[in-house]
Amino acid sequence: MTDVAATFTKERHIKYFLRCLKTFLPSLYTSNDSNRMLLAFFTVAGLDLLGVLLSKTTPEERQGYIEWIYHCQIPTGGFRAFTGTDFGAENRTTENEAWDPANVPSTFFALELLLILGDDLSRVKRTECLQWLPQMQRSNGSFGEVLGPGGKIEGGGDLRFCCFAAGTRYILRGNGGKDVDDIKDINVDKLAAFVQACQAYDGGMGEGPFCEAHSGHTYCAMGALSFLNRLAKDQKTPSVLSPGAREFESLVCWLVSRQTAELGGTEDSDDENSPGADEVHRLPKAAEEPSSDEEPDNLPIIPPPTGASLRYAGFNGRCNKYADTCYSFWNLATLDMMDRLDLVDATRNRQYLLGKTQHIIGGFGKGVGEPPDLLHSYFGMVALAFQGEEGLSSVDPALCISHRAVQHLQSLPWWKEGA
């Protein structure tokens, strides 16, 4: 691999995100139309991370984005995922409002988008949103996604929604204020207990108790606890956030173990005398599904890794999986929250991201040789930002936005009060 291939091609990434912002997205995104708020977040936050949001968009364009976000605000608090469910405030009743509900993840991303765009959140229905949030909490401490007919909590109940609910609470409660003192809060103790119960035997976090550990859910777990811990007053720090505790140390070990040289790619190896990447990284079918009657001498020979292949080491999300661009984010962000980022091989992860999944047209693909998409493009850049890549802004690991946007959040009235 040449030095050129290991270069962060900033201008190409800027062009990629600008294309996504100002032209139509590829047809493959059609099925994600109901997740438009998330797509908007990746696009706008990507340009902010690249430090060009203010220079590559006009004040009028940014105001237009802000108006679209507020169009997604629900009268009773929270934000919808896209405008397609809006049938008009004049037609909204208590009987039909369940068909146009506020969405927990979209509410979190809408608030973050407004912060990135420099809005003061003065039009956010802060009181209504904080009153709606406890209604989304289940008896076991977890959170759902939306309120269905009759106020029934619907949608998933895994750690993703716990993280977004805790993050929304963090943004809107801040350091308090007279206007929220009397608003019923979520049950913080139950939420923290549910999150900690999701820690698996090997140290990572599953989507729920007794589930397989997964880096994405692990990030959401630690994000939720970090949000709660940041606002905690005289509360004991959870053991999984306490260095030296068994829960903390086992999680660190599990996260560091996610770094892998198994890339699962199909490109030719850089070393012309070594086996191709497909030979090295993909086991033959007979090796993947060995027969109990197979003679040892008949099993295929799996070539050892070469010096060239070991130059790249990304991260996977579960044991025995190939590396994936987004897992460089999930794992590094979690380690950053735990102040253990120095335990990974940053050089080899950078080689993987820039040499294997950074795309020639800009953006990042999911894996080796794959086309770029918004999720992997944003998370690929954030992972590099954690490692101090030149040309990228620094990022808050829990909020997953630039520190510039975080400073704007902390300038809001309810953050200044009692600070």
Side-chain angles (χ1 to χ4, degrees):
M1 175 176 167
T2 65
D3 292 337
V4 174
T7 300
F8 178 62
T9 55
K10 180 174 180 176
E11 291 303 317
R12 293 181 183 180
H13 293 295
I14 292 173
K15 290 180 179 179
Y16 171 78
F17 280 99
L18 283 175
R19 281 196 303 272
C20 292
L21 178 66
K22 299 191 177 187
T23 64
F24 291 111
L25 291 175
S27 60
L28 291 176
Y29 285 93
T30 303
S31 60
N32 282 291
D33 195 45
S34 60
N35 291 321
R36 193 175 289 246
M37 190 67 74
L38 176 61
L39 299 179
F41 169 77
F42 287 140
T43 309
V44 174
L47 289 170
D48 182 47
L49 188 60
L50 288 160
V52 299
L53 177 63
L54 301 183
S55 62
K56 295 294 184 179
T57 60
T58 66
E60 293 76 19
E61 286 175 327
R62 294 194 294 276
Q63 189 59 42
Y65 307 149
I66 289 172
E67 295 305 320
W68 179 83
I69 296 167
Y70 275 116
H71 188 173
C72 292
Q73 185 169 214
I74 300 295
T76 52
F79 290 77
R80 57 177 68 90
F82 75 134
T83 55
T85 59
D86 180 17
F87 41 77
E90 68 279 1
N91 299 318
R92 189 182 185 86
T93 67
T94 54
E95 288 74 28
N96 67 22
E97 63 182 4
W99 299 106
D100 178 33
N103 177 292
V104 170
S106 295
T107 298
F108 177 70
F109 289 118
L111 294 173
E112 293 210 309
L113 270 168
L114 290 171
L115 292 171
I116 293 170
L117 291 165
D119 186 72
D120 61 4
L121 305 194
S122 60
R123 287 188 282 166
V124 171
K125 296 182 180 295
R126 183 182 174 215
T127 298
E128 292 85 346
C129 190
L130 288 173
Q131 290 172 335
W132 160 74
L133 209 54
Q135 299 177 56
M136 300 301 304
Q137 190 170 22
R138 294 189 170 97
S139 58
N140 66 355
S142 68
F143 279 80
E145 184 176 2
V146 298
L147 285 179
K152 181 182 177 181
I153 302 172
E154 295 185 346
D158 57 62
L159 289 169
R160 295 172 298 171
F161 305 103
C162 295
C163 181
F164 298 136
T168 298
R169 171 183 180 267
Y170 173 76
I171 291 172
L172 294 181
R173 277 200 173 266
N175 288 311
K178 295 179 180 179
D179 53 342
V180 298
D181 281 346
D182 297 328
I183 297 177
K184 178 185 176 182
D185 198 2
I186 65 172
N187 190 320
V188 172
D189 292 336
K190 273 193 171 183
L191 173 57
F194 174 82
V195 172
Q196 292 178 90
C198 293
Q199 188 165 24
Y201 72 94
D202 53 3
M205 302 285 196
E207 62 179 294
F210 309 111
C211 292
E212 180 187 11
H214 184 284
S215 294
H217 289 295
T218 299
Y219 167 81
C220 290
M222 297 304 286
L225 292 177
S226 293
F227 287 134
L228 298 180
N229 197 51
R230 291 181 186 189
L231 296 183
K233 294 179 174 64
D234 303 322
Q235 289 186 356
K236 183 180 179 182
T237 301
S239 55
V240 76
L241 284 176
S242 303
R246 176 182 59 81
E247 295 84 353
F248 180 96
E249 301 302 335
S250 64
L251 176 53
V252 170
C253 182
W254 185 85
L255 289 165
V256 173
S257 298
R258 301 278 61 75
Q259 189 159 22
T260 176
E262 294 294 335
L263 310 185
T266 57
E267 293 183 341
D268 290 335
S269 170
D270 291 313
D271 184 353
E272 61 181 11
N273 295 317
S274 67
D278 194 54
E279 295 178 73
V280 175
H281 298 300
R282 293 193 183 280
L283 298 180
K285 184 176 180 61
E288 293 176 345
E289 303 173 7
S291 167
S292 59
D293 299 326
E294 192 76 42
E295 289 293 332
D297 290 342
N298 294 332
L299 291 174
I301 298 174
I302 302 174
T306 66
S309 68
L310 290 176
R311 294 174 62 187
Y312 313 96
F315 286 82
N316 60 27
R318 292 178 290 157
C319 296
N320 300 316
K321 296 293 184 178
Y322 292 132
D324 180 325
T325 296
C326 69
Y327 290 115
S328 286
F329 163 74
W330 301 120
N331 290 290
L332 293 185
T334 307
L335 286 166
D336 195 13
M337 284 187 270
M338 303 175 77
D339 195 26
R340 293 295 185 272
L341 198 55
D342 59 338
L343 295 179
V344 303
D345 192 327
T347 300
R348 294 171 71 201
N349 181 56
R350 181 176 183 273
Q351 291 278 7
Y352 165 70
L353 291 172
L354 297 182
K356 293 296 184 181
T357 68
Q358 178 178 233
H359 202 275
I360 191 172
I361 68 167
F364 289 80
K366 172 184 173 68
V368 179
E370 297 196 39
D373 63 78
L374 280 168
L375 182 149
H376 291 94
S377 295
Y378 183 64
F379 285 154
M381 292 198 308
V382 175
L384 289 168
F386 287 139
Q387 298 181 175
E389 187 69 34
E390 185 177 352
L392 293 171
S393 301
S394 61
V395 177
D396 180 291
L399 287 166
C400 194
I401 56 178
S402 68
H403 282 113
R404 180 197 67 81
V406 175
Q407 290 172 359
H408 176 56
L409 165 65
Q410 295 172 347
S411 72
L412 300 179
W414 58 84
W415 276 88
K416 288 184 176 180
E417 294 176 21

